[in-house]
Amino acid sequence: MSSDVRKAVTGASIGNAVEWFDFAIYGFLATFIAAKFFPAGNDTAALLNTFAIFAAAFFMRPLGGFVFGPLGDRIGRQRVLAVVILLMSAATVLIGLLPTYATIGVAAPLLLLLLRCLQGFSAGGEYGGGAVYLAEFADERRRGLTITFMAWSGVLGFLLGSITVTVLQALLPAAAMDSYGWRIPFLIAGPLGLVGLYIRMRLDDTPQFAELSRSEQVAESPLREAVVTSWRPILQVIGLFIVFNIGYYVVFTFLPTYFIKTLEFSRTDAFVSMTLASLVALVLILPLAALSDRVGRRPMLIAGSAAFIVFGYPLFLLLNSGSVVAAVAAHCGLAAIESIYVSTAVSAGVELFATRVRYSGFSIGYNICVAGFGGTTPYIVTWLTAASGDNLAPAWYLIAAAVISLIVVLTLTESAGRPLAQTQGRQQAAAIQ
């Protein structure tokens, strides 16, 4: 890996880890937030409201994608990536400073909603932008591995959030954690964000975007051009990422709460399981991404989605066996399957688009999918479990998602090892302009 690629990987990965640390701690601290920002009396209703606000942030992500994607295609990837990490970190710190429902009443959840929406808006430009940035720096033979540092760093952010909460749980008395300890992870986002911003301000823009600028081929209306010339890849990205997102948020956001509320294990058990599942993903994702460079994207995506279909239900049965050890093993098993899919999906999605509209096209598709099937997942599976009285209901939701994504994967053309397109072709570009 050349020094330029290493620098790009470091800048994109550190910033993305900070972004996902910010998002993750909200999920890890959901039970505390439910108690602090909603009236007492109905724990399930408060938890559902907490996850509803979690989901609301994701509905802002397409708007962020529609704003930051075209901006990144017009003015460059690096500048936009610097802006989004600043917005995300500022919103997260402010959540840590919010007064509770007991102090300011209904204004507390409303302010929480506002700040979560700002987080979602900024995140709409983060993941797609970072993936595009890495794709355009990568060597063709190792592009899957290079791009997948985005997914890997996201899991790292989740792991750092899990460790932070676990350590606080261990060190602070329950009363202190309930009083002020839950705020600490949100406040940590401040210095982490400043570090990420410093690193991103020192990055160069990508060689492919620089070439477009030199040849005066930068799209004047990237959003319109993406929708007109790349509507099919946008739809493929939406379908491709359904099981990516549902699996991701079941494994890394919902299951810690499921351990506590449904399986009635301790908070420590839940956070330890979360940490181990994150470690499994961290160990597997990059080697599996390197494998996708050798065997192709399609075989890996087929394997990941098929594994969820075959093993999703048995692993949820194991989760509900009553044994903490068995439940942790099942959690790690689900993380391993998710790793197969995560290791390849981002590369496959980014490779569908030409440089002129790559940031716009991928960000639109990815963020529409996240809004519909990512942030809503904790809410939907919590509601499904409560409404049906079936602790295995989340497994069926996960399996359905895997079936849909598998069908979409079968429509993809293999893209591993092939050059990235700069433009859609002169005739198409001229037609748009």
Side-chain angles (χ1 to χ4, degrees):
M1 193 178 284
S2 69
S3 60
D4 285 344
V5 175
R6 283 197 299 270
K7 184 178 176 183
V9 166
T10 301
S13 298
I14 289 180
N16 191 54
V18 172
E19 293 264 5
W20 286 99
F21 173 88
D22 295 352
F23 257 81
I25 55 178
Y26 185 96
F28 298 148
L29 294 167
T31 52
F32 290 97
I33 293 169
K36 294 297 178 183
F37 288 91
F38 296 96
N42 188 330
D43 290 345
T44 300
L47 189 59
L48 283 171
N49 286 332
T50 302
F51 281 141
I53 288 180
F54 182 83
F58 285 79
F59 291 120
M60 291 296 293
R61 289 182 66 138
L63 179 58
F66 279 110
V67 172
F68 292 120
L71 199 59
D73 281 328
R74 281 203 308 270
I75 69 172
R77 288 56 165 126
Q78 178 267 340
R79 294 178 186 177
V80 174
L81 288 173
V83 170
V84 295
I85 193 173
L86 183 62
L87 286 176
M88 169 68 86
S89 299
T92 307
V93 170
L94 289 174
I95 288 175
L97 297 173
L98 275 182
T100 64
Y101 186 90
T103 304
I104 60 172
V106 73
L110 290 177
L111 288 172
L112 178 63
L113 175 62
L114 176 66
L115 293 174
R116 283 290 298 165
C117 286
L118 181 57
Q119 282 186 321
F121 179 72
S122 63
E126 167 60 33
Y127 204 81
V132 166
Y133 189 81
L134 293 182
E136 293 176 359
F137 263 107
D139 179 272
E140 287 174 14
R141 294 168 300 174
R142 305 184 70 186
R143 192 165 59 228
L145 174 62
T146 303
I147 294 172
T148 305
F149 271 97
M150 283 300 291
W152 183 85
S153 64
V155 178
L156 179 63
F158 270 90
L159 177 60
L160 292 174
S162 175
I163 290 173
T164 300
V165 173
T166 302
V167 169
L168 286 171
Q169 287 275 113
L171 295 181
L172 293 178
M177 188 69 189
D178 185 66
S179 173
Y180 65 86
W182 65 270
R183 296 183 182 273
I184 294 173
F186 292 100
L187 300 178
I188 290 173
L192 288 179
L194 290 175
V195 171
L197 177 63
Y198 173 77
I199 291 171
R200 287 190 169 178
M201 291 294 289
R202 295 170 62 86
L203 295 176
D204 299 318
D205 224 314
T206 69
Q208 290 213 352
F209 184 81
E211 176 59 31
L212 276 188
S213 297
R214 281 194 298 270
S215 59
E216 298 184 346
Q217 289 186 307
V218 173
E220 293 181 8
S221 302
L223 179 59
R224 183 173 54 151
E225 187 169 325
V227 171
V228 172
T229 67
S230 302
W231 60 268
R232 189 172 186 270
I234 289 172
L235 291 177
Q236 287 175 315
V237 166
I238 293 171
L240 179 66
F241 278 85
I242 287 176
V243 76
F244 178 106
N245 283 300
I246 289 176
Y248 205 85
Y249 287 97
V250 164
V251 174
F252 297 113
T253 302
F254 168 71
L255 281 183
T257 302
Y258 186 80
F259 265 65
I260 298 166
K261 291 294 185 180
T262 303
L263 303 181
E264 298 182 347
F265 295 137
S266 70
R267 281 196 173 96
T268 301
D269 291 334
F271 292 133
V272 167
S273 185
M274 178 66 225
T275 301
L276 291 175
S278 299
L279 285 171
V280 167
L282 282 174
V283 169
L284 291 179
I285 285 175
L286 293 180
L288 289 170
L291 182 61
S292 82
D293 283 324
R294 297 181 59 124
V295 305
R297 315 296 186 222
R298 277 170 50 96
M300 299 294 291
L301 294 170
I302 291 169
S305 49
F308 271 130
I309 294 168
V310 174
F311 297 110
Y313 189 80
L315 286 171
F316 263 86
L317 278 176
L318 191 59
L319 275 170
N320 284 269
S321 65
S323 163
V324 174
V325 174
V328 171
H331 193 177
C332 291
L334 288 166
I337 296 172
E338 178 68 6
S339 299
I340 299 171
Y341 203 88
V342 163
S343 69
T344 312
V346 182
S347 303
V350 169
E351 289 167 342
L352 292 171
F353 299 93
T355 303
R356 281 172 64 96
V357 296
R358 187 169 294 124
Y359 201 150
S360 300
F362 182 72
S363 292
I364 291 166
Y366 175 77
N367 286 301
I368 287 174
C369 184
V370 173
F373 301 100
T376 58
T377 292
Y379 184 94
I380 289 173
V381 291
T382 299
W383 179 83
L384 283 173
T385 304
S388 67
D390 182 6
N391 291 353
L392 303 177
W396 297 115
Y397 190 60
L398 185 56
I399 290 167
V403 170
I404 295 169
S405 289
L406 177 58
I407 293 169
V408 175
V409 168
L410 296 175
T411 72
L412 298 179
T413 301
E414 184 55 61
S415 57
R418 299 180 181 180
L420 293 173
Q422 279 286 80
T423 64
Q424 297 87 349
R426 293 182 180 179
Q427 290 181 338
Q428 284 180 300
I432 300 301
Q433 293 171 353

